[in-house]
Amino acid sequence: MLLRHITSAPKVQACKLFNILLLVYVVNFLLGCQELPLQVYSTTDANVNLRQYQTFSVHAESHHSTNFIAFITRGIESGLTVKGYSVSETPDLLINYRIEIDRGELITQEQIPDGTGFYTSNRIDPINKADVLVNAIDRKTKEVVWKAATSMDISSVNIQNIDQNRVSNHMAQLFKSFPSR
């Protein structure tokens, strides 16, 4: 009996170690799958109480795919509806947004000293980003009462297969500073 206990102890420890390593791997995998929160820059007109508004409409100022624009518009509408505002044909607020998508390349040249002079190093880096600017405009006064902007990496986005939940999550982050009613 004592012999069996001595020989099974390393197996138990190995099993515990395996379980701990598996847990660490799963946690790291899940954390790696999370998206970083957006860096959002927003400002509100200090002379305006945004809670006075009740209705809104969303308008895109962009020349990109109407399919992509529809996803963003639905995300904004969803986010503001959750905050207590209503979509209207005759709104208090006009939510205008612009998105600029840049999928291309950036050529960088760097002068590097080599002891006898300089040589030029050329590098081509991919650019996959979307810049979003949103303005909330008082329909009566035509004044911008709130605005927000962000830039996001879209390397992992397949524009042909857009995920509405992911877009809505990004729009919720963009409108985080916009107060609930």
Side-chain angles (χ1 to χ4, degrees), residues 50-116:
L50 293 177
R51 289 186 175 90
Q52 72 178 321
Y53 302 104
Q54 297 177 12
T55 59
F56 70 95
S57 64
V58 180
H59 306 279
E61 298 175 8
S62 183
H63 57 274
H64 294 287
S65 162
T66 55
N67 185 33
F68 191 61
I69 296 301
F71 280 95
I72 294 172
T73 299
R74 280 194 298 271
I76 292 171
E77 288 175 346
S78 172
L80 287 176
T81 301
V82 166
K83 288 181 172 272
Y85 300 89
S86 302
V87 176
S88 173
E89 292 292 321
T90 55
D92 302 326
L93 280 176
L94 304 171
I95 307 297
N96 290 349
Y97 72 91
R98 181 175 186 85
I99 182 166
E100 291 296 327
I101 298 173
D102 190 0
R103 288 186 179 252
E105 296 172 334
L106 175 66
I107 299 173
T108 306
Q109 293 185 335
E110 181 180 4
Q111 296 289 323
I112 301 173
D114 65 1
T116 60

Side-chain angles (χ1 to χ4, degrees), residues 20-34:
I20 290 170
L21 289 174
L22 181 61
L23 178 63
V24 168
Y25 172 77
V26 169
V27 168
N28 282 332
F29 175 76
L30 291 175
L31 289 175
C33 291
Q34 290 181 343

Side-chain angles (χ1 to χ4, degrees), residues 35-59:
E35 292 182 8
L36 295 174
L38 293 179
Q39 288 264 344
V40 177
Y41 305 94
S42 65
T43 185
T44 304
D45 184 334
N47 299 319
V48 176
N49 178 3
L50 293 177
R51 289 186 175 90
Q52 72 178 321
Y53 302 104
Q54 297 177 12
T55 59
F56 70 95
S57 64
V58 180
H59 306 279

